[in-house]
C-alpha cells in the first residue's frame, strides 16, 4: 500500500491483470519495466453452481463492477448489486440488510473471496464466495523473469556483505 513512486525502484516487473486494451499482447513494458499479462479465472465448480441463478452480488473491492460483470459472464443473473468501498468493514446492520433483501427476493447472496473472509462466521455461512485464480498468459516468461529477479537480488545481498 506504499505510494507507487516509492515502490517503483524496487519493482522488477509488473503484472497487468485483465486489461482489455492489452488482451492477447502477453508481454509489454510498463514504464520501463517488463510486464506480464494475467487474468482472473473463476472457480469452475462455483461458477457452475451460479449459472442460471438469481443473485444479490455485493463487493467491497476496487472495481466492484468488474466482479458483477464476471458473475454475468458466468451465466449468473445479478438481480441486485451492491458496491462498497475497497476494504469495507461490513457492519452487522449492513449485512442484515443485504441478507434480508436476498431472502425477501429469493436471491443467493454472492461476494468475492476477499470480502467473504472478512465476514463474521455467521454471516459468511449466509453468503457464497466466488473464488478466482490468477492465470498468467505466459507462465514460462513468469518463471524466467522471477528467476532473473531472484538472481539479481541474491547478487546484491552477497555484494553488500
Amino acid at each position: 500500500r506504499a505510494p507507487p513512486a516509492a515502490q517503483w525502484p524496487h519493482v522488477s516487473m509488473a503484472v497487468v491483470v485483465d486489461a482489455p486494451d492489452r488482451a492477447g499482447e502477453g508481454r509489454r513494458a510498463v514504464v520501463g519495466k517488463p510486464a506480464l499479462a494475467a487474468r482472473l479465472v473463476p472457480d469452475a465448480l462455483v461458477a457452475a453452481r451460479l449459472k442460471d441463478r438469481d443473485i444479490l452480488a455485493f463487493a467491497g473491492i476496487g472495481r466492484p463492477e468488474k466482479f458483477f460483470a464476471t458473475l454475468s459472464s458466468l451465466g449468473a443473473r445479478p438481480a441486485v448489486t451492491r458496491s462498497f468501498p475497497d476494504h469495507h468493514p461490513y457492519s452487522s446492520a449492513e449485512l442484515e440488510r443485504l441478507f434480508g433483501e436476498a431472502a425477501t427476493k429469493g436471491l443467493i447472496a454472492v461476494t468475492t473471496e476477499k470480502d467473504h473472509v472478512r465476514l463474521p462466521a455467521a454471516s459468511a455461512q449466509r453468503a457464497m464466495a466466488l473464488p478466482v485464480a490468477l492465470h498468467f498468459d505466459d507462465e514460462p516468461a513468469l518463471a524466467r523473469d522471477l528467476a532473473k529477479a531472484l538472481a539479481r537480488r541474491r547478487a546484491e545481498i552477497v555484494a553488500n556483505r
Side-chain angles (χ1 to χ4, degrees), residues 2-159:
Q7 293 298 308
W8 202 246
H10 309 287
V11 171
S12 299
M13 74 181 88
V15 176
V16 180
V17 180
D18 291 330
D21 60 327
R22 295 187 178 162
E25 291 183 17
R27 296 176 60 92
R28 285 183 67 131
V30 176
V31 191
K33 306 284 182 174
L36 296 170
R39 57 195 163 8
L40 293 173
V41 177
D43 179 271
L45 293 175
V46 175
R49 289 178 55 201
L50 293 171
K51 185 173 175 44
D52 298 323
R53 303 293 297 271
D54 294 321
I55 63 172
L56 179 149
F58 67 99
I61 58 175
R63 293 175 47 214
E65 66 284 349
K66 184 177 168 187
F67 174 63
F68 305 146
T70 296
L71 290 166
S72 293
S73 75
L74 299 174
R77 294 186 300 261
V80 176
T81 59
R82 297 285 182 251
S83 299
F84 296 89
D86 199 12
H87 302 283
H88 183 69
Y90 296 98
S91 70
S92 295
E94 284 173 324
L95 292 169
E96 282 308 311
R97 280 193 299 275
L98 286 168
F99 297 133
E101 183 176 11
T104 299
K105 295 180 178 179
L107 306 174
I108 299 169
V110 181
T111 193
T112 67
E113 273 189 312
K114 179 182 167 184
D115 288 295
H116 196 262
V117 299
R118 292 193 330 263
L119 298 177
S123 294
Q125 292 175 359
R126 297 171 72 184
M128 181 183 289
L130 176 63
V132 294
L134 187 64
H135 288 236
F136 286 86
D137 292 352
D138 187 352
E139 289 189 18
L142 171 65
R144 275 192 315 273
D145 288 350
L146 284 174
K148 287 179 192 174
L150 290 171
R152 278 194 306 273
R153 183 65 183 134
R154 282 188 197 109
E156 291 170 8
I157 291 170
V158 169

